[in-house]
Amino acid sequence: MNQDKIKQLLSLITCVMVIMGVAINRDHKVLGHDLATPQAAQSKTIQADTMRTEADGTIVINTTNLAKDISGYGGQVPLEIYVKDGRVVKVKALKNSETPDFFEEASRLLTRWNSKTPDEALAMKVNGISGATFSSRGIIGNMQRGLQYAQKKASTPSFADRIDKSPQSLIGLIVVLAGAILPLFWKDKRYRMVQMILNIGILGLWCGTFISYSLIVNYMSAGIDPWTSLIPIVMLITAFVYPLFGKKNHYCHYICPCGALQDLAGKTRKRKWKMSSKTVKQLSNIRQLLWSVLMVLMLAGVWFQWMDYEIFTAFIFRSASIVVLLFAGIVTALSVFVPRPYCRFICPTGTLFKIAQGGQ
């Protein structure tokens, strides 16, 4: 192994360790393993009794321990299911690490099972909320596990049952695999145009799936369920594994919906603003400084919330904040005059990719 490869591998390991430090600071977990003190873990277990009965006879099922293998976007999505007189009367979401705006959208699901018997609720086919797919999946999975427990049917589902077979996920998987594989063997401008449109329309707007700092930290904290996260896993491979084999920036150029949107906007105007090499270097240095400041803040346990405002969340426009939507509009307009302005001069996630690849 030559020195460049060793440097690249060490850079990747360093980035992984830094992200691990952020996950520990924020959630006290790594890959789903709770690092809390024994006393805190015991207290948590006591608070998470699987079933209790209230004074009026209402049975409350807590899914914290029943659904440890079921995750939303940021980790477990535990629920309390209230059953009275043989029917679900209320479902309450417990504390979780989901992005607040997205989870608020997904929380509309919580009333879907009201007034149903556990058998009727288990037989229901409940679709996730568009724009909050991962959080929706976590809520639905926890409901099923809790209701199975109520009916003494709790069991670990097979891997075939855990795979998301919805048209949205299957088509998204085809698109991301096309972006991951075809450019390795086929260079064609017309194909790339089609791929960009698919990345924006399918991966971005329809699936709402992309790599962001929030996704990376959440996976480091909660772990990855490969059967429900096939699209993000392919994306992560292209971003972090491909560069080890000489394919740097593959994710950014061929898969990222945000990069595709900027490229597509840039094609509407051939003449671009001229920027001196000095200006480009200064802006690149500011990007590096921004990334360093954000990482120091998170490692110090301060201001993790910035991750909720990365521009990528604008694709999930039903849940995205007004600030993110406005920023996305400005970046898209600027892309007409400056090639990929967000990718080149701001993107903290892209900076992480570059550093992991051994770049500066």
Side-chain angles (χ1 to χ4, degrees):
M1 185 180 294
N2 60 41
Q3 289 186 349
D4 287 341
K5 287 294 182 184
I6 293 174
K7 177 185 175 183
Q8 192 175 353
L9 188 58
L10 289 175
S11 296
L12 177 58
I13 292 172
T14 300
C15 287
V16 170
M17 297 303 292
V18 169
I19 296 298
M20 186 181 296
V22 173
I24 292 172
N25 259 354
R26 192 188 70 174
D27 303 321
H28 306 292
K29 293 193 300 184
V30 174
L31 300 178
H33 298 288
D34 200 331
L35 302 181
T37 63
Q39 293 82 1
Q42 183 179 5
S43 174
K44 185 176 179 180
T45 300
I46 292 173
Q47 294 173 8
D49 288 340
T50 301
M51 183 181 287
R52 70 178 191 272
T53 303
E54 298 192 329
D56 64 352
T58 301
I59 296 172
V60 183
I61 300 165
N62 186 313
T63 67
T64 301
N65 295 321
L66 294 174
K68 290 183 177 180
D69 60 324
I70 297 174
S71 296
Y73 188 76
Q76 282 186 262
V77 188
L79 305 174
E80 281 189 338
I81 305 168
Y82 292 71
V83 181
K84 186 175 182 180
D85 299 328
R87 293 185 178 275
V88 177
V89 294
K90 182 174 70 172
V91 180
K92 176 184 174 183
L94 301 178
K95 184 178 179 180
N96 58 65
S97 299
E98 298 297 279
T99 301
D101 290 342
F102 296 161
F103 192 72
E104 184 178 353
E105 284 290 312
S107 293
R108 288 156 45 195
L109 290 171
L110 296 176
T111 60
R112 296 284 179 89
W113 296 273
N114 286 0
S115 78
K116 299 290 191 291
T117 67
D119 279 338
E120 291 171 342
L122 278 170
M124 290 173 59
K125 182 175 177 58
V126 179
N127 295 319
I129 301 295
S130 179
T133 305
F134 289 95
S135 295
S136 298
R137 188 182 299 153
I139 289 174
I140 294 169
N142 272 264
M143 276 300 300
Q144 291 174 340
R145 197 64 62 82
L147 292 167
Q148 287 170 351
Y149 181 85
Q151 294 298 80
K152 307 302 180 184
K153 298 178 182 177
S155 61
T156 302
S158 67
F159 75 88
D161 293 330
R162 292 167 65 183
I163 293 176
D164 185 354
K165 306 181 193 69
S166 66
Q168 182 185 50
S169 293
L170 293 176
I171 293 172
L173 183 60
I174 292 171
V175 171
V176 77
L177 285 173
I181 297 171
L182 292 181
L184 299 177
F185 308 100
W186 187 28
K187 307 290 185 182
D188 183 269
K189 291 183 179 180
R190 288 172 298 181
Y191 157 71
R192 188 163 188 272
M193 177 69 74
V194 172
Q195 183 71 46
M196 285 193 296
I197 294 171
L198 291 175
N199 291 346
I200 296 168
I202 303 297
L203 299 180
L205 295 173
W206 193 26
C207 295
T209 307
F210 37 76
I211 299 181
S212 64
Y213 240 98
S214 184
L215 178 83
I216 296 169
V217 173
N218 289 340
Y219 279 167
M220 179 61 73
S221 171
I224 305 176
D225 182 351
W227 305 114
T228 59
S229 306
L230 292 174
I231 297 174
I233 285 173
V234 174
M235 290 180 169
L236 288 168
I237 289 171
T238 60
F240 291 107
V241 179
Y242 272 32
L244 296 175
F245 299 92
K247 301 298 179 182
K248 294 185 177 182
N249 303 315
H250 188 98
Y251 170 78
C252 296
H253 285 297
Y254 295 106
I255 297 177
C256 178
C258 185
L261 180 60
Q262 291 173 83
D263 279 344
L264 210 57
K267 290 185 179 298
T268 62
R269 178 186 172 92
K270 290 185 178 180
R271 296 185 62 184
K272 307 297 181 187
W273 291 343
K274 292 184 178 180
M275 300 174 65
S276 67
S277 58
K278 182 179 179 181
T279 300
V280 171
K281 184 176 181 180
Q282 288 174 338
L283 290 173
S284 298
N285 289 338
I286 291 173
R287 170 187 172 179
Q288 293 280 345
L289 178 62
L290 172 65
W291 182 84
S292 299
V293 169
L294 292 174
M295 291 306 302
V296 167
L297 288 173
M298 290 196 295
L299 289 171
V302 180
W303 201 39
F304 299 102
Q305 290 78 11
W306 73 264
M307 292 186 287
D308 296 334
Y309 293 93
E310 282 194 279
I311 194 175
F312 311 114
T313 56
F315 284 105
I316 313 176
F317 55 88
R318 294 180 183 86
S319 305
S321 69
I322 296 297
V323 173
V324 171
L325 291 173
L326 287 174
F327 186 35
I330 293 171
V331 167
T332 303
L334 192 59
S335 300
V336 175
F337 306 97
V338 179
R340 286 184 170 234
Y342 182 78
C343 298
R344 294 166 64 199
F345 306 126
I346 300 175
C347 185
T349 300
T351 305
L352 178 69
F353 297 159
K354 191 170 184 179
I355 292 173
Q357 294 168 11
Q360 299 296 324

